[in-house]
Amino acid sequence: MTLSEPDLTAAMTAALQGREDAYALALVAIAALVRTRVRRRLRSNWADVEDVVQETLLSIHLKRGTWDPSRPLVPWVHAIADHKLIDWARRKGRQNRLIADGITVDTLVDVVPAPEEDVFGIDLDRHLAVLSPREQVVVRGLAVEGRSVRDVAATLGLREGAVRVALHRGLKRLASAARKGIVS
């Protein structure tokens, strides 16, 4: 699904105001946008592209409250996608496979500023405190540190499916806490 910048911005603005239908619409459009961007920059198989897309969507979900509705949405989404591409390339050790107009990941690292710990002004520990200890490890490992599901599962001695379920439940609990004003 493709939405124009104003329509996508309107959908995300409505989503931030609690409209679930608008959020679903925005995520579908953002996924298509990110998928196209990642496919153009990443010379790899479909699974790798989808991994980067999913990591980007997760990051957007977790950081959606930091987006300023008075600013364009698409550049914000592209910046997050670019950071996830760089993270993927570093994890895979395939720095020469991320190519856009002859630019490798090494060049992008010099151009794209590294995010700072508190760039969004979020007290991560306070937010994660609403989660169970297992969910905290899962959310921190996958969403914050960018570790793989397999790595987090090995750390906790769980199956990969259990880690995915814990991530889903943790994100749902974080969203609920945010709606209730427990964390903001």
Side-chain angles (χ1 to χ4, degrees), residues 1 11 25 42 59 75 99 102 105 146 151 167 170 172-174 183-184:
M1 163 179 279
L25 178 69
L42 187 63
S59 186
I99 301 172
V105 72
D151 184 36
L167 175 65
K172 192 172 179 180
R173 190 180 318 246
L174 282 171
V183 293
S184 57

Side-chain angles (χ1 to χ4, degrees), residues 10-100:
M12 190 61 145
T13 301
L16 291 175
Q17 295 168 350
R19 286 199 33 220
E20 291 182 23
D21 60 324
Y23 191 49
L25 178 69
L27 282 180
V28 169
I30 289 170
L33 181 74
V34 170
R35 191 169 288 111
T36 299
R37 185 171 185 86
V38 170
R39 225 184 266 139
R40 286 182 184 151
R41 287 170 169 71
L42 187 63
R43 299 189 196 277
S44 190
N45 63 40
W46 178 86
D48 288 338
V49 170
E50 284 304 306
D51 283 349
V52 175
V53 170
Q54 293 304 313
E55 287 180 26
T56 302
L57 291 175
L58 178 60
S59 186
I60 287 168
H61 174 74
L62 293 172
K63 298 174 183 173
R64 69 189 181 279
T66 67
W67 171 65
D68 178 359
S70 69
R71 304 197 54 162
L73 178 65
V74 172
W76 182 78
V77 168
H78 284 173
I80 293 172
D82 289 348
H83 282 288
K84 292 304 171 186
L85 276 165
I86 291 168
D87 291 346
W88 176 88
R90 284 180 176 156
R91 277 194 316 273
K92 295 292 185 179
R94 298 178 184 170
Q95 296 173 334
N96 61 344
R97 295 190 64 183
L98 178 62
I99 301 172

Side-chain angles (χ1 to χ4, degrees), residues 55-182:
E55 287 180 26
T56 302
L57 291 175
L58 178 60
S59 186
I60 287 168
H61 174 74
L62 293 172
K63 298 174 183 173
R64 69 189 181 279
T66 67
W67 171 65
D68 178 359
S70 69
R71 304 197 54 162
L73 178 65
V74 172
W76 182 78
V77 168
H78 284 173
I80 293 172
D82 289 348
H83 282 288
K84 292 304 171 186
L85 276 165
I86 291 168
D87 291 346
W88 176 88
R90 284 180 176 156
R91 277 194 316 273
K92 295 292 185 179
R94 298 178 184 170
Q95 296 173 334
N96 61 344
R97 295 190 64 183
L98 178 62
I99 301 172
D101 300 325
I103 300 172
T104 65
V105 72
D106 294 327
T107 307
L108 283 175
V109 168
D110 293 335
V111 174
V112 179
E116 299 174 15
E117 288 295 319
D118 64 349
V119 70
F120 299 110
I122 296 173
D123 181 358
L124 186 61
D125 292 330
R126 184 172 58 87
H127 281 76
L128 293 180
V130 302
L131 303 177
S132 71
R134 177 187 292 179
E135 291 169 344
Q136 287 180 26
V137 171
V138 169
V139 171
R140 184 180 297 277
L142 295 174
V144 178
E145 298 168 1
R147 295 168 50 201
S148 69
V149 171
R150 178 175 289 153
D151 184 36
V152 173
T155 299
L156 292 171
L158 299 172
R159 293 187 175 174
E160 290 179 25
V163 169
R164 288 185 185 95
V165 169
L167 175 65
H168 174 75
R169 288 179 179 162
L171 294 177
K172 192 172 179 180
R173 190 180 318 246
L174 282 171
S176 175
R179 279 192 299 273
K180 293 176 183 175
I182 297 170

